[in-house]
Amino acid sequence: MERKPATYADLVALPDNVVGELIGGVLHASPRPAGAHAIAAIHLGGSLVWPFAGGKGGPGGWVIMGEPELHLSEDVLVPDLAGWHRERLPNAREMVAFTVVPDWVCEVLSPSTKALDRKEKLPIYAREGVRHVWLVDPRARVLEVFRLEGADYSLLATHSGEVHVRAEPFDAVELDLAFVWGET
């Protein structure tokens, strides 16, 4: 028996306690994040919003969002964080789903999502032209920084532990990874 591809209606019908994504016609439902994941996402987002979205202590010029619903070709993805240069997304407040490809996405890896994030979502981000991707593993305390070069990502840096780092495309400001991990 052949299965028909999942639809957006299938995604919308999921219960509120899961995050749903459509990848290659397959519906993926992941549990809401546990503590380490949630802390890393909110602390990293907070570290970037003031200098890059608000221009406080940094250059400004970005729109940064948590868990935006991205409609990229036939796929619907929900990264933990995404950012656009402000001129590319001037009416973000009025949007529900986003078809403008982000300039940066961040996936916070969980045991239940890390294979999906690396093996299925990363190639979609490359296909769509997302310039920078960060993979954050709060359990291992690792930040991987990727830049799109041609059709594939190059790993620019791997930062680990409780260090201060500068990472593209937000290298104008130093990030405190101890804060991101919830250690300070």
Side-chain angles (χ1 to χ4, degrees):
M1 176 178 190
E2 188 175 326
R3 290 182 61 172
K4 67 177 189 170
T7 66
Y8 189 71
D10 297 324
L11 188 145
V12 171
L14 288 172
D16 290 341
N17 65 334
V18 298
V19 176
E21 299 176 291
L22 282 173
I23 299 174
V26 177
L27 180 63
H28 296 268
S30 304
R32 297 302 300 170
H37 180 125
I39 288 168
I42 196 74
H43 285 201
L44 179 57
S47 296
L48 297 174
V49 164
W50 280 106
F52 294 97
K56 311 271 192 276
W62 284 80
V63 174
I64 298 174
M65 299 182 153
E67 295 189 345
E69 184 176 295
L70 306 177
H71 290 236
L72 306 174
S73 298
E74 299 299 316
D75 300 303
V76 179
L77 305 181
V78 182
D80 292 287
L81 298 164
W84 295 259
H85 290 285
R86 187 172 306 282
E87 65 272 6
R88 295 190 56 244
L89 198 68
N91 299 315
R93 292 176 48 144
E94 298 165 19
M95 301 174 96
V96 175
F98 298 85
T99 57
V100 176
V101 174
D103 296 294
W104 166 82
V105 297
C106 176
E107 295 288 357
V108 179
L109 306 177
S110 293
S112 63
T113 64
K114 86 168 59 171
L116 182 70
D117 291 337
R118 285 187 183 280
K119 294 178 182 162
E120 296 199 41
K121 292 173 77 173
L122 202 57
I124 293 168
Y125 293 140
R127 176 194 78 204
E128 296 296 323
V130 177
R131 181 115 170 96
H132 290 91
V133 173
W134 290 5
L135 297 179
V136 173
D137 188 333
R139 294 181 189 280
R141 292 178 168 79
V142 172
L143 163 63
E144 295 172 276
V145 179
F146 296 89
R147 181 192 317 135
L148 187 62
E149 295 182 3
D152 297 306
Y153 286 107
S154 292
L155 178 63
L156 297 180
T158 300
H159 303 287
S160 62
E162 299 177 3
V163 297
H164 289 81
V165 302
R166 292 182 183 271
E168 282 187 22
F170 302 113
D171 47 344
V173 172
E174 192 173 75
L175 296 174
D176 178 359
L177 289 188
F179 176 70
V180 171
W181 312 139
E183 301 295 328
T184 60

